[in-house]
Amino acid sequence: VQLQASGGGLVQPGGSLRLSCPASGEIDSINNMAWYRQAPGKQRELVATITPGGNTNYADSVKGRFTISRDNAKNTVYLQMNSLKPEDTAVYYCYADIYRGWGPRSIYWGQGTQVTVSS
């Protein structure tokens, strides 16, 4: 199973980016999916989560600006980021709780995509 995050880049303050993360491989079902981020010198922090039914939760720092969504048919999670601020600069990682049809559920991480907010 692989998660491939993409969509990061350099954007000016106030701008927008949309991150995507498709999961591929031997997948029977996906439970929660999420986005985390890690800024230089800081611990990785949770940005947003989404359940298979579409229930979402957000870090206080991104509420009202970021939207997490998923396409269950495509095994893909998205993060729409609007009104970006310099403090949103970080490497963004996608996360998925996956059942492969055998054995226990496992957590998988994408490789990370850099988001830089700067003028």
Side-chain angles (χ1 to χ4, degrees):
V1 174
Q2 287 189 327
L3 273 66
Q4 188 73 30
S6 64
L10 173 64
V11 63
Q12 292 186 342
S16 298
L17 284 174
R18 187 184 192 224
L19 306 183
S20 300
C21 182
S24 61
E26 189 179 10
I27 298 172
D28 180 87
S29 63
I30 302 178
N31 193 10
N32 288 355
M33 305 183 84
W35 288 94
Y36 285 72
R37 67 186 181 186
Q38 187 166 19
K42 295 187 177 181
Q43 290 188 331
R44 189 173 297 190
E45 63 173 357
L46 177 65
V47 176
T49 64
I50 186 167
T51 68
N55 292 322
T56 58
N57 276 295
Y58 297 91
D60 288 343
S61 59
V62 306
K63 282 181 181 177
R65 300 188 298 121
F66 290 11
T67 302
I68 188 171
S69 61
R70 64 191 283 172
D71 185 331
N72 292 329
K74 295 181 179 179
N75 291 332
T76 300
V77 63
Y78 305 95
L79 186 68
Q80 177 66 43
M81 305 185 293
N82 299 328
S83 302
L84 282 160
K85 303 175 180 179
E87 50 263 44
D88 295 318
T89 295
V91 178
Y92 284 70
Y93 298 90
C94 51
Y95 156 116
D97 176 0
I98 293 174
Y99 178 57
R100 297 174 65 180
W102 54 271
R105 306 188 71 89
S106 297
I107 301 302
Y108 293 88
W109 291 91
Q111 83 288 3
T113 184
Q114 176 70 47
V115 172
T116 302
V117 185
S118 175
S119 56

